[in-house]
């Protein structure tokens, strides 16, 4: 047994029952060089959430110098490395990777080192991209949303009156759109949201929005009274009208397009209808502001005035016919009178002409 790339000095003696012979001349033997030993003490020098830097001790390489090292990272392709350290980036955060290192000399590559597990660091707290958006609002709520980001554990949403720094927690979870309720009407609020991961909370994103004023009161009951072609609509309202509020009646004859037919403070209104037409009526409260506000509609009233009965129509038709005949008869009698007067006026003249002709 010999060690690689080692010199050995040898002599030979013969032994017998008489004794030993004279030693031979000294012979020198050198064992050939061998591939290097596996690198030892692979360790992590530094890391971030997307990069790693590792190092190791120089391998023993009897009889030949180490030319370079081969690094096998996470079972991927071998990467050639001239030094005893290796840097890699573009990795996933908070992830463990396998590393093996192999030394190479003029004889060839040695064996790979045992697998060493190294890991990237935890990512920095994430910053939300974009701005907070307002999707809808009312007199007592705001519905806000924001853009999502990767590798997030949850989102935190808080709100405070616009003139205060006393924030109240509203939501913690993975949704990116949240309705903030139980707010005061016609009030400005500052909302803020941040993303949270294993590294902690990211920076806050702020925005200020205002709730609407309280809408006009709803109509509670609607009544209708139809007398012949006159429709009277009356209604009740939940609360008293405020300054600038009026009642509004809208009507439609096609159940699609409604147009106002009345605005005022009276709680009833009479409308003339045409026969054989379907009407739809709705009542609401209107508040006259720079941008008009409307309360909810009442229930829809459906009204259709019946056509006149058949007997009545026939009677009216007969009456008109008799009147027409009477007018015609009167005109005929008047024409006879005119003819008689003309004959009476012309007859003496005709008799005078005949007298002179024959006598």
């Amino acid at each position: 047994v010999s060690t690689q790339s080692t010199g050995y000095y040898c002599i030979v003696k013969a032994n017998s029952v008489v004794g030993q012979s004279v030693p031979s001349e000294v012979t020198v033997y050198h064992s050939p060089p061998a591939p290097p030993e596996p690198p030892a003490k692979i360790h992590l020098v530094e890391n971030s959430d997307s990069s790693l830097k590792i190092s190791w001790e120089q391998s023993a390489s009897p009889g030949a110098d180490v030319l370079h090292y081969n690094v096998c990272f996470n079972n991927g392709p071998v990467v050639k490395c001239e030094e005893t350290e290796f840097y890699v980036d573009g990795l996933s955060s908070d992830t463990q990777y396998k590393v093996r290192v192999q030394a190479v000399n003029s004889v060839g590559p040695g064996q790979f080192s045992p697998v060493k597990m190294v890991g990237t660091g935890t990512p920095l707290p994430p910053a939300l991209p974009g701005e907070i958006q307002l999707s809808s609002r009312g007199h007592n709520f705001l519905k806000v949303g924001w853009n999502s980001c990767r590798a997030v554990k949850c989102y935190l949403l808080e709100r405070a009156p616009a003139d205060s720094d006393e924030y109240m927690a509203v939501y913690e979870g993975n949704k990116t759109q949240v309705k903030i309720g139980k707010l005061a009407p016609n009030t400005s609020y500052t909302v803020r949201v941040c993303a949270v991961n294993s590294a902690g909370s990211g920076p806050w994103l702020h925005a200020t929005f205002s709730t609407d004023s309280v809408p006009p009161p709803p109509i509670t009951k609607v009544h209708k009274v139809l007398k012949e072609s006159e429709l009277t609509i009356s209604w009740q309202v939940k609360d008293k009208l405020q300054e600038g509020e009026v009642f509004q009646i809208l009507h439609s004859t096609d159940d699609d397009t409604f147009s106002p037919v009345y605005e005022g403070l009276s709680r009833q209104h009479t409308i003339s209808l045409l026969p054989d037409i379907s009407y739809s009526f709705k009542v609401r409260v209107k508040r006259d502001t720079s941008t008009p506000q409307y309360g909810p509609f009442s229930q829809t009233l459906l009204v259709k005035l019946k056509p006149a009965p058949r007997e009545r129509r026939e009677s009216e038709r007969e009456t008109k016919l008799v009147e027409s005949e009477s007018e015609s008869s009167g005109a005929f009698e008047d024409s006879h009178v005119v003819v008689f007067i003309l004959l009476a006026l012309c007859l003496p003249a005709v008799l005078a002409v005949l007298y002179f002709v024959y006598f």
Side-chain angles (χ1 to χ4, degrees), residues 259-325:
S259 58
V261 293
Y262 169 76
E263 285 188 7
L265 296 174
S266 176
R267 300 198 180 194
Q268 71 173 28
H269 184 66
T270 301
I271 304 169
S272 297
L273 307 180
L274 297 175
D276 207 21
I277 296 179
S278 296
Y279 292 89
S280 300
F281 294 94
K282 296 190 291 188
V283 185
R284 66 182 178 186
V285 176
K286 174 185 176 182
R287 179 181 295 153
D288 284 323
T289 57
S290 56
T291 300
Q293 295 180 326
Y294 300 95
F297 279 114
S298 67
Q299 66 184 61
T300 302
L301 297 179
L302 302 177
V303 181
K304 183 175 183 180
L305 191 63
K306 295 181 179 180
R310 182 176 179 182
E311 296 80 2
R312 180 179 173 182
R313 293 200 303 270
E314 291 179 352
S315 176
E316 292 176 351
R317 190 182 299 110
E318 292 175 356
T319 301
K320 291 181 180 179
L321 182 59
V322 171
E323 290 177 352
S324 177
E325 292 177 351

Side-chain angles (χ1 to χ4, degrees), residues 22-23 26 45 67 89 99 103 127 142 166 169 175-176 202 260 266 287 298 307 310 346 350 352:
V22 177
V26 176
V45 178
L67 301 177
D89 60 2
V99 179
L142 294 170
E166 297 180 1
K175 294 181 180 179
T176 56
S266 176
R287 179 181 295 153
S298 67
R310 182 176 179 182
C346 295
V350 172

Side-chain angles (χ1 to χ4, degrees), residues 19 22 66 90 96 124 218 223 241 275 289 349:
V22 177
V66 174
Q96 294 292 312
L124 297 174
H223 303 279
L241 295 188
T289 57

Side-chain angles (χ1 to χ4, degrees), residues 28 33 49 65 116 148 165 211 213 238 243 291 323:
V28 180
D49 63 325
D65 293 333
K116 174 70 174 180
S148 61
D165 292 330
T211 54
S213 57
K238 182 177 181 180
E243 183 178 356
T291 300
E323 290 177 352

